[in-house]
Amino acid sequence: MSEKTNKHSWGAAAATGVGSMPGDDAREVAKTVTGSLEALPYLPELPVRGPGADMIGRTAGMLVEVYAHVEPSGWRISDRPGRDTRRARSWLGEDLDALEEFTQGHRGALKVSAVGPWTLAAGLELRNGEVALSDPGACRDLTASLAEGVRAHLAEVRRRVPGAEVVLQLDEPSLTAVLTGTVRTASGYRTHAAVDRSVVEGALRDLVAAAQAPVVVHSCAPNVPFGLLRRAGASGVSFDFSLLTEREEEAIGEAVEGGTSLFVGTVPGIDTPLSDPAGSVRGVRTLWRRLGLSPGTLAESVVITPSCGLAGASPAYARAALAHCVRAARSLADNPE
């Protein structure tokens, strides 16, 4: 295969994290992340703080003219902003303050995250208790609100870190379930109908357009739809390497040939004895050879990450895992064969 060279702002032999980190001290975590990841630092998420710092709540706080509050069953759309919305926005502001402090003078790529439109639609309830996925009109409204919120969020990051080339990660762990019709209804006895692939692709394309920045779509679920994400305009796809099957390999090869970066999760997300860094990416080298891709483009096409977020890890392991990702990425550049 002959593939395009990836010329993204993070450069070759890059590593990054997925999003969540352990602990509740925004300054300490921002210091760890920015100190560990020179090429592609990111805005961490600290879900241990509770509702509003979780994935859905954090993004709900970014929405424009759509508000949400916490119910025992999860996040539900509200008529007006309340305590839960204010708390989500406050924690995001705290995280941005910490990031700004430790990125003074930073020039280059900087990654921030938001939940993608389909995982948001599968995780945010309407007033009747069913998720927004049950209502096509609600999905469209949610996508439009998210696009506006993401645009404002990225502008705020650029204002705080003027030298940053912002990269947006859309977290879509529910994307495969949305496409296959396996998201359960509130009763748990039925599932919501699968959403047409063209509709799914169109909403993601709207978010890519709104970002005006490279967009990486992350899913730590099996059967990531690489082709759909590439057609939607994603610059990169982030996934758990251990969940790959032969079925995805052809789509991965096509994505790389088209210039899509692969954010490959090869380092465990929970406390585990870590092998040598080169061993952590041995499978990536093997895949590259099997696909007939040029070894010389390996370090340019692949970013090494943990398999998913690190919120369930100890702080010591989270630091070690990020450092391990950096060394593993470097080994791909030093020895791509």
Side-chain angles (χ1 to χ4, degrees), residues 183-196:
V183 176
R184 294 206 166 271
T185 60
S187 69
Y189 295 121
R190 296 185 299 108
T191 57
H192 294 289
V195 180
D196 185 270

Side-chain angles (χ1 to χ4, degrees), residues 26-36 44 98 102:
R27 291 188 71 257
E28 186 63 32
V29 174
K31 182 179 179 182
T32 294
V33 166
T34 55
S36 302
F102 291 103

Side-chain angles (χ1 to χ4, degrees), residues 84-117:
D84 296 327
T85 297
R86 289 192 294 271
R87 183 168 53 213
R89 291 175 176 174
S90 175
W91 272 329
L92 179 57
E94 184 180 308
D95 294 340
L96 286 168
D97 288 344
L99 183 75
E100 182 179 2
E101 178 180 350
F102 291 103
T103 52
Q104 292 298 306
H106 174 76
R107 301 196 66 81
L110 177 64
K111 182 166 70 72
V112 300
S113 302
V115 173

Side-chain angles (χ1 to χ4, degrees), residues 21 25 34-35 47 72 75 96 129 152 198 227 260 279 283 314 316 335:
M21 289 284 285
D25 187 328
T34 55
W75 284 88
L96 286 168
S198 65
T260 305
S314 67
N335 182 23

Side-chain angles (χ1 to χ4, degrees), residues 163-183:
E165 296 179 46
V166 181
V167 178
L168 173 65
Q169 176 178 303
L170 291 176
D171 292 315
E172 283 283 17
S174 298
L175 183 58
T176 299
V178 169
L179 288 166
T180 56
T182 54
V183 176

Side-chain angles (χ1 to χ4, degrees), residues 12 22 24 79 124-125 148 224 280 306:
D24 59 5
D79 293 324
L124 188 58
E125 297 174 356
E148 287 297 315
V224 175
S280 294

